[in-house]
Amino acid sequence: MKRSRETAASELFAALYPRLAGWCRRLVDDDETAHEIASEAFTRLWARWTKVEEPRGFLYVTAANLVRDHWRKLERERRAMHRVTSEAAVRAHPEQADPSVRLLVQSLPERLRVPILLHYYADMPIREVSVLTGRKEGTVKADLHAARELLRVHLRRSLDHTP
C-alpha cells in the first residue's frame, strides 16, 4: 500500500509540478518563490493525500492561496519601505496608483480572484474552474465577467491619473 501511494504521488508530481511551478512563476515573477510555492502546495497535498479527491484542483487552489499570501507580504514590505524612505518632497506628490494587472488581480475579492487565476493564468477551461471551485459554470462565467469589469474600471482609473 505504501509503495503504491509513493508511486502515485511521484507520478502526480512528475505530471503536474512543472506546469504548477510555471503558473506560479507567472504570478510571482520570481523562480525561487514560484518553486517554493509549488513545493509547499505539494507538501500540503501529501499531508492530506488520502482525503483529497481532486489533487490537481487542490494543488492550484492551495498555490493560489499561497500566491495571495506572498502578494500580501510584498505589499506590507513595500508599505513599510515606503514609510521608512519617505521624504517631504515625496509626500508632496500623492502616490500614483500602480496600474499593474497583477496588483489589480490581487485586489479582487477572493470569489472573483480565484476564477481569474485559474482561467487566465492557469489556462483552465471554464468547466474545469467550475469543478475546482464547486460553482456552476454560469456562476464562474458571471464571476469572470464581474472581475474583468472591475479590472477594466480600476485600470482605466489608474491610467487616467497617470501624469
Side-chain angles (χ1 to χ4, degrees), residues 59-128:
L59 288 168
Y60 275 92
V61 170
T62 300
N65 289 334
L66 292 169
V67 165
R68 180 202 61 223
D69 294 345
H70 172 74
W71 286 345
R72 286 178 176 166
K73 178 183 173 205
L74 289 180
E75 182 60 20
R76 284 191 306 271
E77 289 172 355
R78 186 194 66 77
R79 285 185 195 147
M81 192 60 110
H82 180 72
R83 282 192 303 271
V84 169
T85 59
S86 286
E87 297 178 6
V90 174
R91 284 187 216 128
H93 297 57
E95 184 178 328
Q96 297 298 320
D98 184 350
S100 161
V101 173
R102 180 183 64 92
L103 292 175
L104 294 175
V105 169
Q106 175 187 348
S107 72
L108 290 172
E110 184 170 357
R111 170 182 76 77
L112 301 178
R113 184 178 57 249
V114 170
I116 287 284
L117 292 175
L118 294 175
H119 184 65
Y120 291 108
Y121 287 85
D123 298 322
M124 291 184 184
I126 289 173
R127 175 172 289 154
E128 195 167 346

Side-chain angles (χ1 to χ4, degrees), residues 139-158:
T139 302
V140 171
K141 289 177 184 179
D143 287 346
L144 289 170
H145 175 75
R148 286 191 306 267
E149 285 302 305
L150 278 173
L151 293 171
R152 184 183 58 77
V153 167
H154 288 300
L155 188 57
R156 182 171 289 148
R157 188 178 316 137
S158 294

